[in-house]
């Protein structure tokens, strides 16, 4: 068994701080300060950290659109609200059925209400399409059944960086909410962002200072309920 007290290149105080950020970083929807400006230097510093994230073959396929223009933020928020309607309707039904807590629905509703007023949005993009990556795997000689692997590598080359960005924003005392619902209306969002052909959006992050200072671990299923050793 690994000795958790063994010396490492990470001092104990730093390790504790990192673990706290990992355990308390949330997708913040109800506590985004829409009135306080965000210093873009903090956003850029967080993005610099995110660029260290792992990605397939170290191709670093990402691009990041930082949106502060009020008209584009309003347009993206409108796109998101339209895309969120089916999800919110389904969540409302689940709350009524008692299968989902009302807090989850209220948080989602809150994001739709404030998104256009959030000072900064970040849209992570990939410099290719999912179909491009599937075609690449076929050209490498993989069977069509490898499509799942191709898409796993494709999206796996951006989402670790998205999570790293959220952690780095938290380290800079900023909060973020991540969503991908607007991707159900990709053409609308592509026009708003003036994306060139062949570039694919992966998510949308709303970034702001948090209201209040308290962050804590969220309720999660116990490790024993999801942990498997060697086999399922």
């Amino acid at each position: 068994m690994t000795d958790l007290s063994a010396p490492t290149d990470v001092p104990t105080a730093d390790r504790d701080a990192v673990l706290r950020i990992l355990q308390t970083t949330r997708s913040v929807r109800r506590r985004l300060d829409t009135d306080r400006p965000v210093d873009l230097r903090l956003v850029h510093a967080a993005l610099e950290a995110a660029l260290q994230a792992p990605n397939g073959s170290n191709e670093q396929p990402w691009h990041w659109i930082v949106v502060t223009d009020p008209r584009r933020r309003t347009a993206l928020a409108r796109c998101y609200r339209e895309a969120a309607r089916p999800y919110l309707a389904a969540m409302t039904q689940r709350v009524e059925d008692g299968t989902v807590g009302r807090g989850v629905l209220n948080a989602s509703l809150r994001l739709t209400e404030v998104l256009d007023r959030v000072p900064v949005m970040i849209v992570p993009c990939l410099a290719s399409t999912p179909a491009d990556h599937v075609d690449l795997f076929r050209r490498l000689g993989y069977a069509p059944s490898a499509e799942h692997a191709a898409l796993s590598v494709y999206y796996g080359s951006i989402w670790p960086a998205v999570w790293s960005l959220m952690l780095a924003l938290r380290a800079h005392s900023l909060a973020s909410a991540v969503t991908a619902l607007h991707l159900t209306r990709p053409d609308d969002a592509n026009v708003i962002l003036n994306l060139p052909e062949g570039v694919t959006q992966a998510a949308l992050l709303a970034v702001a200072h948090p209201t209040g200072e308290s962050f804590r671990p969220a309720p999660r299923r116990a490790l024993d309920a999801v942990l498997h050793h060697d086999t399922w």
Side-chain angles (χ1 to χ4, degrees):
M1 179 177 291
T2 302
D3 180 1
L4 297 180
S5 64
T8 71
D9 63 342
V10 180
T12 300
D14 291 347
R15 183 168 66 247
D16 291 345
V18 168
L19 291 174
R20 174 159 179 77
I21 288 175
L22 282 167
Q23 293 170 344
T24 60
T25 297
R26 309 264 70 83
S27 190
V28 178
R29 298 176 178 87
R30 287 187 284 189
R31 297 173 51 198
L32 296 171
D33 191 336
T34 58
D35 296 320
R36 184 178 174 185
V38 168
D39 188 337
L40 286 183
R41 290 175 297 181
L42 299 179
V43 175
H44 293 171
L47 284 166
E48 286 281 1
L51 297 186
Q52 295 297 319
N55 59 96
S57 301
N58 197 32
E59 291 186 353
Q60 305 170 57
W62 45 57
H63 288 261
W64 309 84
I65 303 177
V66 178
V67 184
T68 58
D69 177 72
R71 292 174 300 176
R72 294 188 192 276
R73 286 190 287 116
T74 298
L76 282 173
R78 186 183 305 117
C79 178
Y80 172 78
R81 281 194 294 270
E82 291 299 318
R85 289 181 188 276
Y87 169 78
L88 293 174
M91 290 296 291
T92 300
Q93 184 61 54
R94 293 183 66 187
V95 168
E96 293 173 357
D97 294 342
T99 57
V100 170
R102 182 164 294 277
V104 176
L105 173 61
N106 289 343
S108 297
L109 288 170
R110 178 61 176 167
L111 184 61
T112 65
E113 294 168 359
V114 304
L115 187 57
D116 60 329
R117 293 183 279 125
V118 168
V120 177
M121 296 179 182
I122 302 175
V123 181
C125 300
L126 289 145
S128 63
T129 68
D132 291 336
H133 222 67
V134 171
D135 183 61
L136 170 63
F137 267 56
R138 288 175 180 165
R139 286 187 279 112
L140 290 173
Y142 290 102
S145 59
E147 180 174 330
H148 174 70
L151 294 176
S152 181
V153 173
Y154 178 77
Y155 289 109
S157 292
I158 187 68
W159 275 99
V162 172
W163 177 233
S164 291
L165 174 58
M166 295 178 70
L167 294 171
L169 289 168
R170 170 92 166 86
H172 287 289
S173 300
L174 294 171
S176 61
V178 62
T179 182
L181 283 177
H182 77 295
L183 300 182
T184 61
R185 302 172 66 91
D187 293 341
D188 293 347
N190 288 350
V191 170
I192 295 167
L193 298 170
N194 195 29
L195 288 192
E197 186 175 353
V199 173
T200 304
Q201 299 176 67
L204 170 67
L205 288 89
V207 179
H209 287 277
T211 59
E213 299 179 355
S214 144
F215 287 88
R216 59 183 182 273
R220 290 291 188 261
R221 295 164 64 188
L223 176 61
D224 286 346
V226 296
L227 177 65
H228 309 268
H229 282 289
D230 296 328
T231 62
W232 183 270

